[in-house]
Amino acid sequence: MKTLQVVKGKSVFTEGDNQQPYIQFCPEKTEGEVVKQVRGEARVNVLSSGAYDVSFIKRIRSAAKVLKKLLHGCLSKTKDGAVQLTIKVFNPESQDVPRILVNEAYEAADYYKNMIEQ
């Protein structure tokens, strides 16, 4: 691990063993309230005064409703009204991937066609 930059004796910007930079905050005074732990993805800006500006990034989760589960994926309807087909094939070297994709697409299309006809 190597030190990249020290800001006003408070913060150490280092580069870890995996070459990913991270910030280590070492306050000079340990007085004050303890901040509640927050987990998630955030952007951190260090201002010229040495203060931190942290902006948390809200994770947008899929709001899709599953219409039909398939052997290698699913057919779903998204929140914005689109129809989505997801297919994921594990260990593709030992399987006939083109045949799997075509069969699953046909199965999903037949299901959707029957669903809208009813």
Side-chain angles (χ1 to χ4, degrees), residues 11 42 45 50 76 87 90 106 110 114:
S11 309
N45 294 316
S76 55
I87 301 173
F90 291 98
Y106 273 123
D110 286 342
N114 293 335

Side-chain angles (χ1 to χ4, degrees), residues 35-101:
V35 178
K36 180 183 164 194
Q37 179 179 353
V38 179
R39 294 183 59 97
E41 187 176 343
R43 289 191 180 95
V44 179
N45 294 316
V46 181
L47 306 176
S48 59
S49 65
Y52 285 82
D53 179 34
V54 180
S55 311
F56 288 94
I57 302 166
K58 185 175 181 179
R59 182 176 169 201
I60 300 172
R61 296 185 182 261
S62 171
K65 179 185 172 198
V66 175
L67 301 175
K68 174 152 179 73
K69 288 193 177 232
L70 302 167
L71 186 61
H72 295 94
C74 68
L75 177 68
S76 55
K77 189 163 195 162
T78 62
K79 189 163 73 171
D80 59 358
V83 176
Q84 177 176 303
L85 174 62
T86 306
I87 301 173
K88 187 174 187 178
V89 180
F90 291 98
N91 199 6
E93 295 83 23
S94 65
Q95 299 184 45
D96 185 10
V97 176
R99 183 183 52 78
I100 290 172
L101 295 176

